[in-house]
């Protein structure tokens, strides 16, 4: 995140903080190029690959770029803005290009579901960003094992090995955390909002309680504290993780695989609650005895949205929902349609 923070400061942050929290009272010539400043901060590029020559505004704030409060404000803002951009761009593309709109005819599709999914997501982003910012601060202030160039890391072999290592580590921890969120003492307080969506759309991908959303992202931040990780790989993986989260909510059952935890496996989780807690693979569900194989009909375009398939899903879902949640307080689209007739 230090490279992203440097770009942010160069093109926006320096100017904003020079105006909002200047080093001294603003005089008419304050923003003159030749104006003297009292800042003792010296520019050091965040990466050996790129650097951005600071403008005069970088030296005109009472909070220089190394100030922890300024960094916290900037990182929180970056997280909210780019989190929303990633969400709306990828979820919208997934909805329009991948998601089968016939899924909205499912008996367990909610009234006004998409608007509720978006509202839940957007309202959660600021809270998730607060918790996430604490770990971004550890990164930019040098308390993790993030490194810049291959020469700074364990070796060239690790430039490739870090990706499967990261995915295996985070997959294992997300499984444990996700399964823990289904414990009765926790579920109704934190994880139930995400299970409001029995037949989710891509817009449900980030529709969490803020603490729930952060808890499931915690392993991504823990990895570079414990293990080396290239800082550019870190950013790429963060984008990939968000993209994957949307993909497993897109309802397109492509990955008929005993290994990959694709959209079909995750649909089983939303329908039947206590199965398929994994993020990328089915490995930990198989070890933990919580794997539920998606119905074969889901991979048959003729059968996956048939009345027979949906009736079976509804029957099992309602039985398990009663055990997990008790009273079902959801308002379904089809129920409303029947009432209005």
């Amino acid at each position: 995140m230090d490279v992203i923070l440097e770009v942010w400061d160069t093109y926006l942050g320096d100017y904003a903080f020079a105006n909002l929290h200047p080093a001294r009272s603003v005089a008419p010539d304050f923003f003159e190029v030749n104006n003297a400043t009292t800042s003792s901060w010296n520019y050091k590029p965040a990466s050996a690959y790129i650097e951005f020559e600071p403008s005069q505004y970088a030296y005109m704030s009472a909070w220089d770029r190394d100030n922890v409060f300024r960094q916290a404000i900037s990182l929180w803002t970056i997280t909210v803005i780019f989190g929303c951009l990633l969400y709306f761009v990828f979820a919208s593309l997934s909805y329009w290009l991948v998601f089968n709109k016939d899924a909205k005819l499912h008996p367990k599709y909610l009234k006004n579901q998409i608007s509720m999914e978006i509202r839940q997501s957007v309202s959660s982003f600021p809270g998730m960003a607060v918790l996430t910012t604490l770990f971004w601060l550890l990164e930019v202030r040098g308390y993790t094992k993030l490194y810049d160039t291959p020469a700074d890391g364990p070796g060239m072999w690790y430039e490739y090995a870090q990706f499967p290592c990261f995915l295996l580590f985070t997959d294992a921890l997300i499984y444990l955390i996700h399964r823990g969120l289904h414990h009765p003492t926790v579920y109704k307080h934190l994880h139930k909002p995400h299970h409001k969506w029995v037949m989710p759309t891509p817009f449900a991908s980030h529709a969490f309680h803020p603490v729930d959303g952060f808890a499931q992202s915690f392993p991504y931040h823990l990895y570079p504290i414990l293990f080396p990780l290239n800082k550019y790989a870190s950013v790429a993986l963060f984008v990939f993780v968000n993209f994957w989260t949307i993909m497993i909510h897109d309802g397109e059952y492509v990955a008929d695989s005993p290994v990959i935890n694709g959209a079909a496996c995750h649909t089983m989780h939303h329908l039947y609650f206590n199965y398929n807690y994994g993020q990328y693979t089915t490995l930990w569900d198989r070890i933990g005895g919580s794997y539920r194989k998606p119905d074969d009909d889901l991979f048959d375009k003729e059968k996956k949205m048939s009345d027979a398939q949906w009736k079976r899903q509804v029957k099992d879902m309602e039985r398990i929902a009663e055990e997990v949640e008790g009273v079902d307080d959801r308002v379904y689209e089809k129920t409303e349609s029947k009432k209005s007739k």
Side-chain angles (χ1 to χ4, degrees), residues 106 198-199 266-273 313 316-317:
H106 193 282
V198 180
M199 286 300 294
H266 199 67
T267 294
M268 295 296 98
H269 177 71
H270 275 266
L271 277 167
Y272 308 131
F273 299 86
Q313 291 176 355
D316 284 351
M317 176 267 168

Side-chain angles (χ1 to χ4, degrees), residues 13-168:
D14 289 338
Y15 182 79
F17 281 98
N19 278 277
L20 296 174
H21 194 31
R24 59 181 176 81
S25 299
V26 178
D29 64 342
F30 181 67
F31 292 108
E32 292 291 333
V33 175
N34 297 323
N35 188 65
T37 66
T38 59
S39 175
S40 60
W41 171 79
N42 293 308
Y43 171 66
K44 293 180 182 178
S47 172
Y49 296 116
I50 54 175
E51 62 179 271
F52 302 88
E53 187 62 33
S55 69
Q56 70 273 19
Y57 300 110
Y59 304 93
M60 293 181 176
S61 174
W63 285 352
D64 61 40
R65 287 189 184 181
D66 289 336
N67 182 279
V68 67
F69 299 108
R70 169 174 167 166
Q71 288 177 335
I73 293 169
S74 295
L75 289 167
W76 180 86
T77 306
I78 291 168
T79 304
V80 171
I81 291 175
F82 286 97
C84 286
L85 280 175
L86 281 172
Y87 170 70
F88 280 109
V89 170
F90 286 134
S92 297
L93 287 173
S94 179
Y95 178 76
W96 290 111
L97 300 178
V98 180
F99 181 70
N100 190 329
K101 312 305 184 292
D102 289 342
K104 295 163 76 172
L105 300 175
H106 193 282
K108 294 301 179 182
Y109 185 83
L110 304 185
K111 181 177 173 60
N112 301 320
Q113 180 168 314
I114 290 178
S115 63
M116 290 193 296
E117 289 170 340
I118 293 173
R119 188 161 55 247
Q120 175 72 48
S121 300
V122 171
S123 65
S124 294
F125 278 130
M128 283 192 283
V130 168
L131 298 169
T132 302
T133 294
L134 298 175
F135 287 85
W136 292 149
L137 283 171
L138 292 178
E139 290 187 10
V140 301
R141 299 186 75 82
Y143 293 105
T144 69
K145 297 184 179 181
L146 288 173
Y147 63 91
D148 187 31
T149 69
D152 303 321
M156 276 304 301
W157 65 272
Y158 191 73
E159 297 304 299
Y160 303 96
Q162 63 185 322
F163 293 100
C165 287
F166 176 91
L167 295 177
L168 287 169

Side-chain angles (χ1 to χ4, degrees), residues 117-118 158 166 179 185 210 238 259 272 274 336:
E117 289 170 340
I118 293 173
Y158 191 73
F166 176 91
R179 187 158 188 171
T185 59
F238 184 76
V259 176
Y272 308 131
N274 296 328
E336 284 293 304

Side-chain angles (χ1 to χ4, degrees), residues 224-270:
I225 293 175
L226 300 177
F227 308 105
L229 184 65
N230 183 284
K231 61 174 66 176
Y232 293 99
S234 173
V235 174
L237 285 165
F238 184 76
V239 174
F240 167 76
V241 163
N242 280 273
F243 183 61
W244 182 268
T245 302
I246 292 169
M247 285 178 58
I248 61 176
H249 290 87
D250 66 15
E252 188 61 27
Y253 309 136
V254 176
D256 185 5
S257 166
V259 176
I260 298 174
N261 181 68
C265 280
H266 199 67
T267 294
M268 295 296 98
H269 177 71
H270 275 266

